Amino acid sequence: MKTSRRCRALLSVGLNLLALLLSSTAFATAYWCQGTQRVPKPSCSKERRHHCIDYGANDTDPSKVHYSWETGDDRFLFRRFHAGIWYSCEENIHSAGEKCRSFIDLAPASERGVLWLSVVSEVLYIMLLVVGFSLMCLELFHSSNVIDGLKLNAFAAVFTVLSGLLGMVAHMMYTQVFQITVSLGPEDWRPHTWDYGWSFCMAWGSFTCCMAASVTTLNSYTKTVIEFRHKRKLFEQGLREEQAFLDQEAFHYFQDRSVQSISSSVDLYPGHSNTHGSAYSSGRGKIHAPSTSVDMADNADSLGEEQC
């Protein structure tokens, strides 16, 4: 039982640690959502020779795009972007690298309160994961008493379940805010196409590991309690059977002792018993043994009196 409890505790600690790492990474990165934005192509210059529009038709360089109003050539390009809880980054079309700005400033004013609530829930989610992980480690490495271990196990399960619920609420609120920002956000930021990124997958993977850790911890607590109750029931049953056996043995012992004492007392006073027996017999038969001989006349007189 001790080995199985330790294996379950190790599994819970591993799942909780994985959930903590995934949630921290997702919270710090900006790849919750990613996609493309449609922006006008810039004018060609000496520094930029590709993906640009040259409105003059004198240059015959094939790398330049000569826009024709008559043919209606496409004058837009699609730049990549990715966004997280804290900031959003877009590909810089004028130079190499990326340009980042705060996602909180991009969100509509009516949704910023929900976004801040999502941030607070995400922080609490990570903090409760840390608390649950600490309690699990304390129960695993520093708890020699089984009762104290069960108490730590129960508190760790409660904190882990609460953290999982907060994480789920935080992820759903961020998804809602992002979808509203796509529709009502600044025009120069609105995505043309978008999808969820690897940070978003890590966030929900962290939630999955967190709930798995809580279920494992609750299962360990429940199974340990059931095992102790079963052992206690077996112990009480064995104790009752042993008590009944001892009572039966004591009864037979004292019964044998009483029989032996009675028989020994009978053997110890045999003359006394015979005397009482003779007296009893003489008393019942009314026969009195004379100490001297009597003659026949006296005997006849006595018999006559008895007959009368």
Side-chain angles (χ1 to χ4, degrees):
M1 184 180 68
K2 186 175 181 180
T3 305
S4 61
R5 284 184 63 245
R6 187 172 183 84
C7 292
R8 292 194 297 268
L10 285 172
L11 180 60
S12 301
V13 169
L15 289 172
N16 198 306
L17 180 61
L18 182 60
L20 181 60
L21 293 176
L22 290 176
S23 61
S24 301
T25 305
F27 185 68
T29 54
Y31 286 87
W32 286 62
C33 300
Q34 56 188 3
T36 58
Q37 297 169 335
R38 192 178 72 167
V39 294
K41 290 180 180 178
S43 301
C44 294
S45 62
K46 293 182 180 180
E47 292 80 13
R48 187 180 183 89
R49 310 293 294 179
H50 302 281
H51 301 292
C52 59
I53 295 179
D54 188 3
Y55 293 98
N58 297 327
D59 200 344
T60 59
D61 190 353
S63 63
K64 294 182 179 180
V65 177
H66 299 277
Y67 180 74
S68 173
W69 293 98
E70 291 79 8
T71 58
D73 292 336
D74 187 18
R75 42 191 200 96
F76 294 95
L77 59 84
F78 297 93
R79 66 180 180 185
R80 298 174 181 269
F81 85 99
H82 55 89
I85 294 179
W86 296 106
Y87 52 89
S88 174
C89 296
E90 305 98 25
E91 182 183 359
N92 196 342
I93 61 175
H94 298 287
S95 61
E98 292 181 337
K99 180 180 65 175
C100 297
R101 43 186 167 172
S102 174
F103 182 75
I104 298 176
D105 296 335
L106 293 174
S110 60
E111 300 298 322
R112 289 178 184 173
V114 180
L115 183 59
W116 276 112
L117 187 60
S118 173
V119 172
V120 172
S121 300
E122 196 73 29
V123 173
L124 289 176
Y125 168 56
I126 296 175
M127 291 177 63
L128 289 177
L129 277 178
V130 173
V131 174
F133 177 74
S134 303
L135 291 175
M136 289 179 185
C137 292
L138 190 64
E139 187 264 336
L140 181 62
F141 297 108
H142 297 286
S143 177
S144 57
N145 191 354
V146 178
I147 303 301
D148 294 339
L150 284 176
K151 292 179 181 179
L152 291 172
N153 200 301
F155 279 111
V158 170
F159 279 110
T160 309
V161 170
L162 288 177
S163 65
L165 294 176
L166 283 174
M168 180 183 65
V169 171
H171 303 160
M172 293 178 66
M173 285 192 296
Y174 176 79
T175 304
Q176 176 186 353
V177 171
F178 185 83
Q179 291 176 354
I180 294 176
T181 307
V182 168
S183 302
L184 303 178
E187 293 184 359
D188 62 337
W189 178 86
R190 293 179 188 176
H192 179 70
T193 59
W194 66 276
D195 200 356
Y196 297 107
W198 57 267
S199 295
F200 189 79
C201 296
M202 290 181 68
W204 281 107
S206 171
F207 167 75
T208 305
C209 293
C210 174
M211 297 309 295
S214 64
V215 170
T216 306
T217 307
L218 285 174
N219 182 34
S220 177
Y221 175 82
T222 306
K223 191 171 182 179
T224 304
V225 170
I226 291 175
E227 287 175 351
F228 270 102
R229 287 181 178 176
H230 180 66
K231 285 182 176 289
R232 181 180 178 182
K233 185 177 180 180
L234 291 178
F235 175 75
E236 290 178 351
Q237 183 178 358
L239 191 62
R240 286 194 296 267
E241 292 177 355
E242 184 178 357
Q243 185 68 29
F245 179 76
L246 290 177
D247 292 342
Q248 189 176 5
E249 288 291 326
F251 175 75
H252 289 307
Y253 174 77
F254 286 113
Q255 186 180 19
D256 295 341
R257 291 289 294 177
S258 61
V259 171
Q260 291 176 4
S261 66
I262 292 172
S263 61
S264 63
S265 63
V266 170
D267 294 339
L268 185 60
Y269 304 103
H272 183 72
S273 176
N274 292 334
T275 303
H276 284 286
S278 301
Y280 178 74
S281 299
S282 61
R284 292 283 293 178
K286 297 182 180 180
I287 299 173
H288 301 279
S291 58
T292 58
S293 298
V294 293
D295 46 348
M296 296 300 295
D298 295 332
N299 191 12
D301 294 336
S302 63
L303 287 175
E305 291 176 358
E306 288 180 2
Q307 289 177 359
C308 293

